[in-house]
Amino acid sequence: MSGFENLSERDRAVLRSIFDPTATIGDVVDDGDHFLDGEDADVNTEAKSLCIRGVQLAEAGKLEEALELLNRSIDIAPERAPGYNDRAQLYRLLKRDDDSLKDLERVLQLTQGKDGRTRALALCQRGVLLRKRGADDAARADFAEAAKLGSGFAKKQVVELNPYAALCNQMLSQVMRGEKDIKL
């Protein structure tokens, strides 16, 4: 990949999302996110440190080692929602979607009534898993809530899941290609 070393981290993330269809939500930096809170400020620093190291191991492809650290982090601070978010994402990489959904449910319990990044990320991850399972209505509801919390990714998903927007996009595509008979 010569010539890519001068790209910004955001540009590299966008390229990863294009070339890796299994990219997780955190892989793409989205300038459209606007979160107001300062979550995770007064957390157990050991638990947070274990999560950071676990994420680094996962990025290096050492998934089982990463899982050990994330499990330890959750054992130390079981009420810290971001730890479950990180582990849910790792479970997705391990293709353990049911385990991922359990962790995401825990995040949503812990963040009930809170407006913040952690809740929005959990809703986005769950929305992605629900879409994968064909539950578009439930996914749309998760993305709509995450969009209200400030997630740019979720806003794009809400538009993409809007059946009227899909129909408009199809019609516009046909017009741009110069098709005479627009198919609905």
Side-chain angles (χ1 to χ4, degrees):
M1 283 200 170
S2 68
F4 287 78
E5 53 276 348
N6 294 330
L7 294 176
S8 70
E9 184 54 39
R10 183 186 191 293
D11 290 341
R12 279 192 277 257
V14 169
L15 285 174
R16 275 195 305 272
S17 74
I18 292 168
F19 294 113
D20 182 5
T22 65
T24 55
I25 295 165
D27 289 340
V28 180
V29 177
D30 190 338
D31 290 337
D33 288 343
H34 302 285
F35 299 107
L36 300 175
D37 66 342
E39 292 181 40
D40 217 17
D42 56 335
V43 300
N44 181 307
T45 55
E46 182 182 1
K48 187 174 181 178
S49 175
L50 285 168
C51 275
I52 291 168
R53 289 191 354 239
V55 169
Q56 290 168 341
L57 284 171
E59 289 172 349
K62 299 176 181 180
L63 303 182
E64 291 302 325
E65 291 175 51
L67 183 57
E68 287 177 30
L69 291 183
L70 292 174
N71 286 338
R72 281 181 38 210
S73 171
I74 289 169
D75 287 343
I76 289 169
E79 299 301 309
R80 182 178 176 270
Y84 292 97
N85 246 350
D86 291 339
R87 190 171 71 178
Q89 202 162 18
L90 179 60
Y91 279 146
R92 286 181 49 215
L93 291 172
L94 292 166
K95 305 206 181 324
R96 292 172 55 180
D97 290 353
D98 289 338
D99 290 327
S100 182
L101 283 169
K102 286 178 192 169
D103 274 0
L104 295 171
E105 291 300 326
R106 182 68 179 137
V107 173
L108 295 173
Q109 288 172 353
L110 291 170
T111 60
Q112 184 69 39
K114 298 178 183 174
D115 295 341
R117 183 176 191 275
T118 300
R119 185 171 183 79
L121 289 174
L123 288 162
C124 286
Q125 282 197 80
R126 189 171 72 174
V128 168
L129 288 169
L130 290 169
R131 266 192 97 178
K132 182 178 172 184
R133 293 179 173 195
D136 285 354
D137 288 340
R140 186 179 309 113
D142 279 355
F143 289 132
E145 183 180 344
K148 287 178 188 172
L149 295 174
S151 170
F153 173 83
K155 289 175 188 172
K156 291 174 189 170
Q157 295 304 304
V158 169
V159 170
E160 188 176 312
L161 283 167
N162 180 331
Y164 298 111
L167 182 60
C168 288
N169 285 339
Q170 178 187 355
M171 290 171 44
L172 182 59
S173 232
Q174 291 171 348
V175 168
M176 297 300 285
R177 288 192 306 257
E179 294 180 19
K180 303 259 188 260
D181 296 322
I182 305 297
K183 299 173 189 98
L184 301 178

